[in-house]
């Protein structure tokens, strides 16, 4: 299913990603988190390292988690000259990270692929140190069915109120859900539909 899809597109993901959304998404996530050099950050559903690359530039210690071996392999190849990246194969509901281990957790364009978004958010809470922050960037609710078939999206975006509720139910404080000010854009394969979906940024503190 989605794992096989991401294994298949791993070698071309960077080009696809650039056509979907820009680096402004990552910048917004980092500014909301207030990232500090030397702290430990994890990127869940890291893909080929879009968020990881930015975190390294900012001098954080990084852990990259993904379900797809091919995505992690592609990231290793890209960052082969960089030491210290901790690559971990893992699943949303059982992250390969111990309790209270990280200062920040990021997840970009990951939540709409997981089976249970509320469970995934709870699991991200578990791995944060007290005072640690979770920042999720993802799609607002949208009507574009073709993204399910062509990109294996499981959820057609989210209502900001439901995201807020899931953060609160997981125990997060200071929950904020706001606009990134950017869209995710994609053309359907047959060319008849063009999706232009606003992106939200959700943050909370443990
Ligand atoms: C749309 S890609 C985004 C990749 C990266 N975050 C980026 O911004 O370029 C979604 C990623 O989440 C991973 N993923 C999807 N469902 C997952 C799950 N249940 N557990 C772990 N990773 C998952 C996929 O393998 C894929 O690499």
């Amino acid at each position: 299913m989605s794992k096989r899809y991401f294994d298949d597109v791993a070698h071309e993901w960077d080009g696809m990603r650039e056509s979907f959304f820009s680096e402004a998404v990552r910048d917004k996530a980092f500014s909301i988190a207030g990232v500090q050099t030397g702290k430990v950050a994890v990127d869940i559903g890291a893909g080929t390292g879009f968020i990881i690359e930015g975190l390294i530039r900012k001098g954080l210690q990084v852990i990259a988690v993904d379900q797809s071996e091919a995505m992690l392999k592609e990231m290793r190849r890209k960052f082969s000259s960089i030491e210290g990246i901790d690559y971990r194969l893992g699943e949303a509901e059982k992250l390969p990270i111990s309790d209270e281990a990280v200062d920040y957790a990021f997840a970009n364009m990951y939540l709409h692929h997981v089976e249970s978004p509320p469970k995934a958010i709870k699991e991200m809470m578990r791995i944060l140190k007290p005072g640690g922050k979770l920042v999720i960037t993802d799609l607002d609710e949208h009507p574009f069915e073709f993204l399910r078939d062509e990109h294996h999206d499981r959820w057609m975006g989210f209502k900001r109120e439901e995201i807020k509720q899931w953060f609160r139910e997981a125990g997060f404080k200071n929950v904020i859900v706001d606009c990134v000010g950017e869209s995710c854009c994609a053309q359907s394969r047959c060319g008849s539909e063009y999706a232009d979906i606003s992106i939200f940024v959700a943050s909370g503190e443990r």
Side-chain angles (χ1 to χ4, degrees), residues 112 138-142 155-159 162 197 200:
H112 66 264
D138 214 292
L139 305 176
D140 281 316
E141 191 175 38
H142 66 80
W155 302 98
M156 289 169 66
F158 301 101
K159 289 189 173 72
E162 68 186 347
I197 305 161
F200 69 80

Side-chain angles (χ1 to χ4, degrees), residues 131-150:
K133 287 185 187 156
L134 170 63
V135 179
I136 293 180
T137 33
D138 214 292
L139 305 176
D140 281 316
E141 191 175 38
H142 66 80
F144 301 102
E145 279 283 348
F146 79 88
L147 294 174
R148 281 190 198 269
D149 305 328
E150 297 184 18

Side-chain angles (χ1 to χ4, degrees), residues 2-7 13-14 17 20-21 25 43-51 65-69 71-72 89-95 106-116 120 137 151 153-154:
S2 114
K3 183 186 171 311
R4 189 182 302 161
Y5 167 73
F6 285 113
D7 280 342
W13 179 253
D14 284 351
R17 201 276 309 150
F20 295 151
F21 54 87
V25 177
D43 181 18
I44 313 290
T48 55
F50 171 62
I51 294 282
V65 175
D66 205 284
Q67 65 175 1
S68 158
E69 293 93 339
M71 284 288 202
L72 292 176
L89 192 64
E91 275 289 336
E93 287 176 21
K94 199 168 182 240
L95 297 174
F106 292 93
N108 182 52
M109 301 300 156
Y110 154 79
L111 204 65
H112 66 264
H113 289 286
V114 305
E115 190 176 339
S116 168
T137 33
H151 297 283
D153 289 12
R154 200 189 281 263

Side-chain angles (χ1 to χ4, degrees), residues 111-201:
L111 204 65
H112 66 264
H113 289 286
V114 305
E115 190 176 339
S116 168
K119 280 190 189 159
I121 290 170
K122 275 195 192 127
E123 180 63 353
M124 290 190 269
M125 167 64 129
R126 178 187 68 73
I127 63 171
L128 282 170
K129 295 178 186 174
K133 287 185 187 156
L134 170 63
V135 179
I136 293 180
T137 33
D138 214 292
L139 305 176
D140 281 316
E141 191 175 38
H142 66 80
F144 301 102
E145 279 283 348
F146 79 88
L147 294 174
R148 281 190 198 269
D149 305 328
E150 297 184 18
H151 297 283
H152 291 255
D153 289 12
R154 200 189 281 263
W155 302 98
M156 289 169 66
F158 301 101
K159 289 189 173 72
R160 294 186 187 184
E161 273 311 311
E162 68 186 347
I163 293 285
K164 222 181 246 178
Q165 192 185 329
W166 293 335
F167 267 62
R168 290 195 180 125
E169 283 168 5
F172 282 98
K173 298 180 288 194
N174 304 327
V175 178
I176 297 172
V177 184
D178 201 357
C179 295
V180 165
E182 287 282 311
S183 294
C184 180
C185 299
Q187 180 90 52
S188 65
R189 233 179 259 139
C190 65
S192 65
E193 277 194 276
Y194 184 75
D196 182 334
I197 305 161
S198 58
I199 300 173
F200 69 80
V201 54

